[in-house]
Amino acid sequence: MTALTDLPDLGRPLDVLPGAAFQARDRLGLGVVLPRALTLEPLPEGGVALLVTLLREGPAVGGRIEAGFAVEAPLTEAGEAAATSATPLLLSAAEPLRGVLEVTARFGSPGAALAPPVTLGPDSLTTTRVVAELPADSAVLAARLVRAGTVPVDAVLRLTFRAVAPTLPLRATVDPRALLATLARRFGPAAAVPFDALATALDEAAFGTPSQPDRATALALRLRPAVSRPEPVAAPLHRLLDQVPAATLTVDLAEPAAVDVDRVLALDLDAAARALAAGDAGRHVREVDAPPLPTGRTTVTLAANLPAPVAGLALLLADLRVPPTAARPQEVTASVPLTAPGGVASTRITLAPGERLRGEVRLRAVLDGTGELEGPWRPADTTLLTLTPDAFPVPLAVVRATRALTALAVAEVRTAAGVTLGRVDAATPALAVPVTEADPPATIAVRPLGPGLPVEVPVDRRRIELDPAALPGFGTHLARLRHAPVSGPLTVQWRPEGDEEAEPRTVRLDADRPQADIRWVATSPFQPGVVWRTGSGDWSAPVAPRDFLVIDVDPPVVVDGVELRPDPERPGSWTYVPPGPFLDSPDAVSLLDAGPVAFLQLTSRIDLPDGRRDAVRRGLGPGADIHPAQVRVTRVAVETKSPDGVWVAVAEGTSSGVPPWTTALSASLDGDRRDAARAALGGTAGWMALVAELTVAGRPVRRTRDIAELIDTPHS
């Protein structure tokens, strides 16, 4: 692993999406897809984020325009191309570092900027919104365009990515100060230079020959930080530095280097117009009448420009405060509930006649399980106040799923303690998850709607794009079949998991060939494994792929219902997969009644109890040793069934992390849940269950045991 690992390699483009997909550095079979277009932001309730407001104050007419923009990498399109290519690829979306958005009008004075360029940080790169004041004629023209199904704005977004520069067998030795002087003579001191022109000038100055496009690009990506800085505009312009120290700098183009590369996205006007025309024009134009008298009463509009619906958000408020002045001795305060992230709400405050707004604004959020949180105060000097993600009380991690994924699966975001924070599905394909210090989001469990097992994705960055082709398990896998020669020749059949129609392939293992490598392609991340059998016997359970998968095809030894296999690294030792969950002991579950509420306490374990493990060891013979295979317990829960047949978790947590993987659970039960627990502890099956979710050999496993049956035989 190096600092270049997983970055898109600009010198190795992929044909699955020309110009927008590259091989990931140091990752065979992994591709990185760059965004290709900018669109209007789709809203969860349908339509797109575009609103023109006509504001009448007596005879005067004005207005404003609000527009939201979204960027998505074309993972689905690239995944379809990759699936049909000769070499299957695992694809992921590139992570931009920063961006600059410019929005211009297509009405009034076409091409005029609606607002200054908006500089975007990592939290705002997926979606962002712009609000601008409009004079009367422009507001009316914009409303007419929207009612006619025409997009009234245009936009350009420059995204900056970290990538690996192309390599060439060349080397150049330069003096940055001399280079800067040459560039200043050519373009003017401190000039803003387009990247192509800067690359040509650097190439000619460094090599003293006419510029060559490939050489110029490879050199400029490495050298431009030494002589320029990027301009905060959407065009890829670079401002020459005022001065740099003299030095001798050797640039080896044959050595891979991490560089910043810009990608400019234009608004797809055709797609935006189709989305706008498909909705209700009345949702995108609003008319507001304000009183004409100069009473000092001022209407303030507040908007929370958050990247997606926020998980667990019970209430979102915007607080406004304006300090007292000589003409107004009282402080002015107001709190406005924002009905939805990205929604707009207005409030009316009373200032002194003719006074301009000079105050502060903040976001206040009430989160499930966390309580009320307060964001930082921000300056408020306009009647249109847009609060960006950095005003939210805690950082937000954005999880987005493509249509290809939501057609196959749903995703649940969980904390390190196993608490489910939110769900991403076809109805809600995007979710912003608060990152709290006490229990931050840790994993995303992607559950298939059809056959297969869940896939876990770590929450290790602030923006996560979910797509079937980007999930672990998709793509090409390798395994090694191994056989003990003393057992005689053996014929092994194998095929990919889930592909029952595929013709099984056959491998013969004997003394001359005790092992063989097999390779298969998993087209579903939820069924990535391989199944095998010896002769015409039963097919094995699916074996999940991992970095170095070895399958011992010799039949296991079964003792007391436990399958054991020899440990190849420890002679005389055997391994088994822990078969729990069990109750930790006969008295590991109790229910204490306290009027209408009952208190449940339960301790579970995943490994065999000591007595049964000793019995299995004795069954192998003198001197034998057994130990459990390493598993990871991701969730343990107690579930009760309601009278209408729905199972609901009443307590959940994780394990101790080491054998025997114990978990202590407790819950307060009332109503139907209390009755279900009483029935289960009274010996009636089908009302309360113990659920364990594990990762065994890299594959998720879910096991459910009825608690009534465990009480009768707690160690079985």
Side-chain angles (χ1 to χ4, degrees), residues 433-457:
V433 184
V435 182
T436 59
E437 294 183 0
D439 193 12
T443 59
I444 303 171
V446 186
R447 300 180 178 278
L449 299 174
L453 290 174
V455 174
E456 282 198 356
V457 178

CSV table of all heavy atoms in Angstrom, one decimal, residues 433-457:
chain,number,residue,atom,x,y,z
A,433,VAL,N,-25.9,11.1,7.1
A,433,VAL,CA,-25.9,10.5,8.4
A,433,VAL,C,-25.0,11.3,9.4
A,433,VAL,O,-23.9,11.6,9.1
A,433,VAL,CB,-25.3,9.1,8.3
A,433,VAL,CG1,-25.3,8.4,9.7
A,433,VAL,CG2,-26.0,8.2,7.3
A,434,PRO,N,-25.6,11.8,10.5
A,434,PRO,CA,-24.8,12.6,11.4
A,434,PRO,C,-23.6,11.8,12.0
A,434,PRO,O,-23.8,10.6,12.4
A,434,PRO,CB,-25.8,13.0,12.5
A,434,PRO,CG,-27.1,12.9,11.9
A,434,PRO,CD,-27.0,11.7,10.9
A,435,VAL,N,-22.5,12.4,12.1
A,435,VAL,CA,-21.3,11.7,12.6
A,435,VAL,C,-21.1,12.2,14.0
A,435,VAL,O,-20.4,13.3,14.2
A,435,VAL,CB,-20.0,12.0,11.7
A,435,VAL,CG1,-18.8,11.2,12.3
A,435,VAL,CG2,-20.3,11.5,10.3
A,436,THR,N,-21.6,11.5,15.0
A,436,THR,CA,-21.5,12.0,16.4
A,436,THR,C,-20.3,11.3,17.0
A,436,THR,O,-19.8,10.3,16.6
A,436,THR,CB,-22.8,11.6,17.2
A,436,THR,OG1,-22.9,10.1,17.1
A,436,THR,CG2,-24.0,12.2,16.6
A,437,GLU,N,-19.8,12.0,18.0
A,437,GLU,CA,-18.6,11.4,18.7
A,437,GLU,C,-18.9,10.2,19.6
A,437,GLU,O,-18.1,9.3,19.6
A,437,GLU,CB,-17.9,12.5,19.6
A,437,GLU,CG,-17.4,13.7,18.8
A,437,GLU,CD,-16.7,14.7,19.7
A,437,GLU,OE1,-16.7,14.5,20.9
A,437,GLU,OE2,-16.2,15.7,19.2
A,438,ALA,N,-20.1,10.2,20.2
A,438,ALA,CA,-20.4,9.1,21.1
A,438,ALA,C,-20.5,7.7,20.4
A,438,ALA,O,-20.0,6.7,20.8
A,438,ALA,CB,-21.7,9.4,21.9
A,439,ASP,N,-21.2,7.7,19.2
A,439,ASP,CA,-21.4,6.5,18.5
A,439,ASP,C,-21.6,6.8,17.0
A,439,ASP,O,-22.7,6.8,16.5
A,439,ASP,CB,-22.7,5.8,19.1
A,439,ASP,CG,-22.8,4.3,18.6
A,439,ASP,OD1,-21.8,3.8,18.0
A,439,ASP,OD2,-23.9,3.7,18.7
A,440,PRO,N,-20.5,7.0,16.3
A,440,PRO,CA,-20.5,7.4,14.9
A,440,PRO,C,-21.0,6.3,14.0
A,440,PRO,O,-20.9,5.1,14.4
A,440,PRO,CB,-19.1,7.8,14.6
A,440,PRO,CG,-18.3,7.0,15.6
A,440,PRO,CD,-19.1,6.9,16.8
A,441,PRO,N,-21.4,6.6,12.8
A,441,PRO,CA,-21.7,5.5,11.8
A,441,PRO,C,-20.5,4.7,11.5
A,441,PRO,O,-19.4,5.3,11.3
A,441,PRO,CB,-22.3,6.3,10.6
A,441,PRO,CG,-21.8,7.7,10.8
A,441,PRO,CD,-21.7,7.9,12.3
A,442,ALA,N,-20.6,3.4,11.5
A,442,ALA,CA,-19.4,2.6,11.3
A,442,ALA,C,-19.5,1.7,10.0
A,442,ALA,O,-18.5,1.5,9.3
A,442,ALA,CB,-19.2,1.7,12.5
A,443,THR,N,-20.7,1.1,9.8
A,443,THR,CA,-20.8,0.2,8.6
A,443,THR,C,-22.2,0.4,7.9
A,443,THR,O,-23.1,1.0,8.5
A,443,THR,CB,-20.8,-1.3,9.1
A,443,THR,OG1,-21.9,-1.5,10.0
A,443,THR,CG2,-19.5,-1.6,9.8
A,444,ILE,N,-22.2,0.0,6.7
A,444,ILE,CA,-23.4,-0.1,5.9
A,444,ILE,C,-23.7,-1.5,5.5
A,444,ILE,O,-22.9,-2.1,4.9
A,444,ILE,CB,-23.3,0.8,4.6
A,444,ILE,CG1,-22.9,2.2,5.0
A,444,ILE,CG2,-24.6,0.8,3.8
A,444,ILE,CD1,-22.6,3.1,3.8
A,445,ALA,N,-24.8,-2.0,6.0
A,445,ALA,CA,-25.2,-3.4,5.6
A,445,ALA,C,-26.1,-3.4,4.4
A,445,ALA,O,-27.2,-2.8,4.5
A,445,ALA,CB,-25.9,-4.1,6.8
A,446,VAL,N,-25.7,-3.9,3.3
A,446,VAL,CA,-26.4,-3.9,2.0
A,446,VAL,C,-27.1,-5.2,1.9
A,446,VAL,O,-26.4,-6.3,1.8
A,446,VAL,CB,-25.5,-3.6,0.8
A,446,VAL,CG1,-26.4,-3.4,-0.4
A,446,VAL,CG2,-24.7,-2.3,1.1
A,447,ARG,N,-28.5,-5.3,2.0
A,447,ARG,CA,-29.2,-6.5,2.0
A,447,ARG,C,-29.9,-6.7,0.7
A,447,ARG,O,-30.7,-5.9,0.3
A,447,ARG,CB,-30.2,-6.5,3.2
A,447,ARG,CG,-29.6,-6.3,4.5
A,447,ARG,CD,-30.7,-6.3,5.6
A,447,ARG,NE,-30.2,-6.2,6.9
A,447,ARG,CZ,-29.7,-7.2,7.6
A,447,ARG,NH1,-29.7,-8.5,7.1
A,447,ARG,NH2,-29.2,-7.1,8.8
A,448,PRO,N,-29.7,-7.9,0.1
A,448,PRO,CA,-30.3,-8.1,-1.2
A,448,PRO,C,-31.8,-8.3,-1.1
A,448,PRO,O,-32.3,-8.9,-0.1
A,448,PRO,CB,-29.6,-9.4,-1.7
A,448,PRO,CG,-29.2,-10.1,-0.5
A,448,PRO,CD,-28.8,-9.0,0.5
A,449,LEU,N,-32.6,-7.9,-2.1
A,449,LEU,CA,-34.0,-8.2,-2.1
A,449,LEU,C,-34.3,-9.6,-2.5
A,449,LEU,O,-35.4,-10.1,-2.2
A,449,LEU,CB,-34.8,-7.2,-3.0
A,449,LEU,CG,-34.6,-5.7,-2.6
A,449,LEU,CD1,-35.2,-4.8,-3.7
A,449,LEU,CD2,-35.3,-5.5,-1.3
A,450,GLY,N,-33.4,-10.2,-3.2
A,450,GLY,CA,-33.6,-11.6,-3.7
A,450,GLY,C,-32.6,-12.5,-2.9
A,450,GLY,O,-32.2,-12.3,-1.8
A,451,PRO,N,-32.2,-13.6,-3.6
A,451,PRO,CA,-31.2,-14.5,-2.9
A,451,PRO,C,-29.9,-13.9,-2.7
A,451,PRO,O,-29.5,-12.9,-3.4
A,451,PRO,CB,-31.1,-15.7,-3.9
A,451,PRO,CG,-31.5,-15.1,-5.3
A,451,PRO,CD,-32.5,-14.0,-5.0
A,452,GLY,N,-29.2,-14.4,-1.7
A,452,GLY,CA,-27.8,-13.9,-1.4
A,452,GLY,C,-27.8,-13.5,0.0
A,452,GLY,O,-28.8,-13.4,0.8
A,453,LEU,N,-26.6,-13.1,0.4
A,453,LEU,CA,-26.3,-12.6,1.8
A,453,LEU,C,-25.9,-11.1,1.8
A,453,LEU,O,-25.4,-10.6,0.8
A,453,LEU,CB,-25.2,-13.5,2.5
A,453,LEU,CG,-25.7,-14.9,2.8
A,453,LEU,CD1,-24.5,-15.7,3.3
A,453,LEU,CD2,-26.8,-14.9,3.8
A,454,PRO,N,-26.1,-10.4,2.9
A,454,PRO,CA,-25.7,-9.0,3.0
A,454,PRO,C,-24.2,-8.8,2.7
A,454,PRO,O,-23.4,-9.7,2.9
A,454,PRO,CB,-26.1,-8.6,4.4
A,454,PRO,CG,-27.1,-9.6,4.8
A,454,PRO,CD,-26.7,-10.9,4.2
A,455,VAL,N,-23.9,-7.6,2.3
A,455,VAL,CA,-22.5,-7.1,2.1
A,455,VAL,C,-22.3,-5.9,3.1
A,455,VAL,O,-23.2,-5.0,3.1
A,455,VAL,CB,-22.3,-6.7,0.7
A,455,VAL,CG1,-20.9,-6.1,0.5
A,455,VAL,CG2,-22.4,-7.9,-0.2
A,456,GLU,N,-21.2,-5.9,3.8
A,456,GLU,CA,-20.9,-4.8,4.6
A,456,GLU,C,-19.9,-3.9,4.0
A,456,GLU,O,-18.9,-4.3,3.4
A,456,GLU,CB,-20.3,-5.3,6.0
A,456,GLU,CG,-21.4,-5.9,6.9
A,456,GLU,CD,-20.9,-6.0,8.3
A,456,GLU,OE1,-19.7,-5.7,8.6
A,456,GLU,OE2,-21.7,-6.3,9.2
A,457,VAL,N,-20.1,-2.6,4.1
A,457,VAL,CA,-19.3,-1.5,3.6
A,457,VAL,C,-18.9,-0.6,4.8
A,457,VAL,O,-19.8,-0.2,5.5
A,457,VAL,CB,-20.0,-0.7,2.5
A,457,VAL,CG1,-19.0,0.4,2.0
A,457,VAL,CG2,-20.4,-1.7,1.3
